[in-house]
Amino acid sequence: MSTTKFAVAGATGRLGRHVVDVLADRGHPVVPVSRATGVDVITGEGLADALTGVDVIIDVASWHSSEQEAATEFFRTSARNLHEYGQQAGVARIAMASIIGADRATAGFLAAKKVHEEVLLSGPLPVRILRAAQFHEFVGQLLDWQPGDVAYVPDLPSQLVACRAVAEELVDLALGVDAPATIPEIAGPRKESLAEAAALLGARRGVKVVGVDGSGIPDAELAAAGAFLPGPHARLAGPTFREWLDTQP
């Protein structure tokens, strides 16, 4: 069986860890690219050496906050560097993870991901994009941002998906012989309310979750109208949030 050598940008992150595991399980050599491994996609430090002999880059590096301007600058710079150093190293293509609805976003982190897609697609290397729904772990972030016994969570629709399922789909996309004609999507098996999912997690943590409207968050009206839900051709993959939560320590 032939193997493809991968570099995973953001290898130590929430999704990156799963991508590395999937590639290793399938027998592919992996170069982890993150500041923890001494490689920086923003400054370029260590990037040329890391990409030596690499066939495909999987870009799952992310910014640590939802602030639009800083996130946009991060994605713009990382995308340009991956193209520049990747082209010099003879990389065949880049596959990246984005978010369902990024193409419709007008503000916030999703708007930064929209720029990320655009900058990557405008570069010299072929690029394949997978748009995913919000991860199950995002619900925990919503509670972490509000320390205390009560958390107010937007009662907005989502189709929460497992990181592992996204990683497997992204690796399949990266390895595929032909690029898809349209940008594929992956989401969880059914529509769920962010507030209801947060209430399930809150019950475990001793936190009361109060569902609120989404006013005050970027593109709340779009979200409420379902703009960030998967389209009819999306791949749906389990588990549901409740099933996933039951497997967590």
Side-chain angles (χ1 to χ4, degrees):
M1 184 182 76
S2 63
T3 59
T4 301
K5 185 176 181 180
F6 284 86
V8 178
T12 56
R14 181 174 293 124
L15 178 57
R17 290 192 294 266
H18 288 278
V19 172
V20 170
D21 286 346
V22 170
L23 290 169
D25 288 348
R26 298 188 186 184
H28 294 285
V30 182
V31 180
V33 172
S34 75
R35 281 182 294 180
T37 62
V39 187
D40 194 320
V41 295
I42 299 302
T43 66
E45 180 185 358
L47 199 51
D49 289 341
L51 296 182
T52 300
V54 164
D55 302 299
V56 178
I57 297 169
I58 294 185
D59 181 11
V60 288
S62 193
W63 183 241
H64 55 75
S65 80
S66 58
E67 201 276 310
Q68 182 181 347
E69 186 175 343
T72 299
E73 186 58 30
F74 174 88
F75 290 130
R76 184 181 284 121
T77 303
S78 67
R80 288 172 176 164
N81 282 341
L82 289 176
H83 268 293
E84 178 184 345
Y85 287 90
Q87 186 180 39
Q88 291 171 4
V91 168
R93 60 181 168 272
I94 299 172
M96 67 91 76
S98 189
I99 303 172
I100 290 174
D103 54 321
R104 296 184 284 273
T106 66
F109 188 81
L110 261 66
K113 287 300 288 186
K114 180 180 183 179
V115 174
H116 190 193
E117 290 186 9
E118 292 169 350
V119 176
L120 272 179
L121 288 171
S122 68
L125 296 175
V127 170
R128 299 178 184 181
I129 295 171
L130 174 67
R131 292 185 181 137
Q134 289 285 4
F135 304 145
H136 292 318
E137 290 87 347
F138 177 65
V139 178
Q141 279 185 283
L142 291 174
L143 297 187
D144 293 341
W145 291 336
Q146 301 180 65
D149 298 332
V150 180
Y152 298 90
V153 176
D155 193 11
L156 294 173
S158 184
Q159 201 143 327
L160 298 160
V161 68
C163 274
R164 178 75 183 200
V166 176
E168 290 172 348
E169 190 75 2
L170 185 57
V171 169
D172 287 343
L173 177 67
L175 284 168
V177 175
D178 299 315
T182 57
I183 295 177
E185 297 178 345
I186 183 169
R190 64 181 178 86
K191 186 167 77 171
E192 305 188 68
S193 157
L194 282 179
E196 290 174 3
L200 291 173
L201 179 57
R204 297 181 99 200
R205 294 187 177 183
V207 175
K208 180 183 178 182
V209 172
V210 178
V212 296
D213 69 29
S215 59
I217 69 169
D219 289 333
E221 290 185 6
L222 283 173
F228 305 134
L229 293 173
H233 303 295
R235 178 169 175 260
L236 305 184
T240 64
F241 181 78
R242 183 188 292 271
E243 291 167 343
W244 171 82
L245 190 59
D246 286 343
T247 68
Q248 300 305 296

